[in-house]
Amino acid sequence: MVLGRRKRREADEARAKFIANREKVRAWTGSWDCPEVDWPAFEEVPRPWLVLPRERAWWLDLHAPFLERYDWFLEATPRANGVDELWALWEFGTGHAFERLTIRFRSVLDPEYLAEKLALGIEAAELEGWQDGDTQSAYDWLYEGVGGLVGTGMVRGKHRLGFVLLELTCAAVGRADVITELRASLTTTSLEGKPLKPDGRD
């Protein structure tokens, strides 16, 4: 009986982590100030599973606690000129741990706009360790990075804010259009590979 109760408790704790992740992703599109697009209705069951609405409660009870990997892919519908595509991918791994958030724009080359929207998108994600002032720092780095595309075909870069690692790729895809992809993950090391202190400093 003790072993059975422990397994049920562990399953309940894992299910709670899954639900917390789901609600974090669900709330994110509403928290991110990006009125240039419309987001679709949120799918409660992540990829790659397809579950009928009447079976979702059963799936959540039996399967959600034991998932090894899953993700939510969110694809917006642009409603403003200059934005052709916007999607985001939230990825989770073993133990329901957050692994990565990827945001991808296809738009006109507007460094100020892209830097602002991407910085606000990461801020809205409320990643562990994100602090006041990080959004401005992210904006400054993104603005410099996207602006560096002028005269070149592609720019790449990495930037760390505490325990949050940002990776940027921006590539020209025509006379005025660019594809800009920002990946955010958590790290315990500096860009040089040195362990970070408990406060996130080198």
Side-chain angles (χ1 to χ4, degrees):
M1 291 294 292
V2 173
L3 183 59
R5 286 197 299 270
R6 186 172 68 190
K7 287 184 176 180
R8 284 195 297 273
R9 184 177 67 251
E10 291 173 351
D12 289 343
E13 291 171 352
R15 188 179 299 107
K17 291 179 181 178
F18 171 84
I19 292 173
N21 287 340
R22 184 188 67 189
E23 296 311 303
K24 184 181 186 74
V25 177
R26 186 203 303 268
W28 176 70
T29 55
S31 299
W32 183 12
D33 182 16
C34 193
E36 298 83 6
V37 301
D38 289 323
W39 294 98
F42 182 74
E43 291 289 342
E44 295 193 0
V45 177
R47 296 194 315 179
W49 289 269
L50 296 174
V51 180
L52 295 174
R54 66 176 181 272
E55 297 177 347
R56 285 177 182 168
W58 167 81
W59 183 90
L60 175 65
D61 187 54
L62 292 182
H63 296 287
F66 309 107
L67 300 179
E68 287 295 321
R69 300 188 65 83
Y70 56 94
D71 62 65
W72 275 279
F73 178 74
L74 311 174
E75 186 170 14
T77 301
R79 53 183 293 187
N81 292 332
V83 178
D84 296 321
E85 178 185 62
L86 171 57
W87 58 254
L89 179 65
W90 284 79
E91 299 175 76
F92 298 89
T94 303
H96 301 277
F98 167 78
E99 288 196 344
R100 187 181 302 107
L101 167 59
T102 303
I103 303 173
R104 177 185 170 106
F105 270 95
R106 178 167 180 157
S107 67
V108 296
L109 176 55
D110 184 337
E112 185 175 356
Y113 170 79
L114 287 166
E116 177 183 340
K117 290 304 171 181
L118 289 168
L120 290 175
I122 297 300
E123 177 188 55
E126 298 182 346
L127 300 180
E128 183 178 351
W130 193 263
Q131 300 180 12
D132 292 341
D134 285 349
T135 304
Q136 183 63 51
S137 179
Y139 170 86
D140 294 341
W141 175 72
L142 288 163
Y143 179 78
E144 180 180 359
V146 175
L149 186 66
V150 177
T152 67
M154 177 181 289
V155 293
R156 296 179 183 271
K158 292 184 179 182
H159 186 58
R160 186 182 57 79
L161 295 164
F163 295 105
V164 179
L165 175 65
L166 301 178
E167 300 175 81
L168 171 71
T169 302
C170 187
V173 288
R175 288 186 176 182
D177 287 358
V178 294
I179 293 178
T180 308
E181 189 168 290
L182 181 65
R183 293 172 297 281
S185 57
L186 301 182
T187 183
T188 57
T189 61
S190 69
L191 295 181
E192 292 75 32
K194 298 178 181 179
L196 298 176
K197 295 178 181 178
D199 61 0
R201 294 186 298 174
D202 292 355

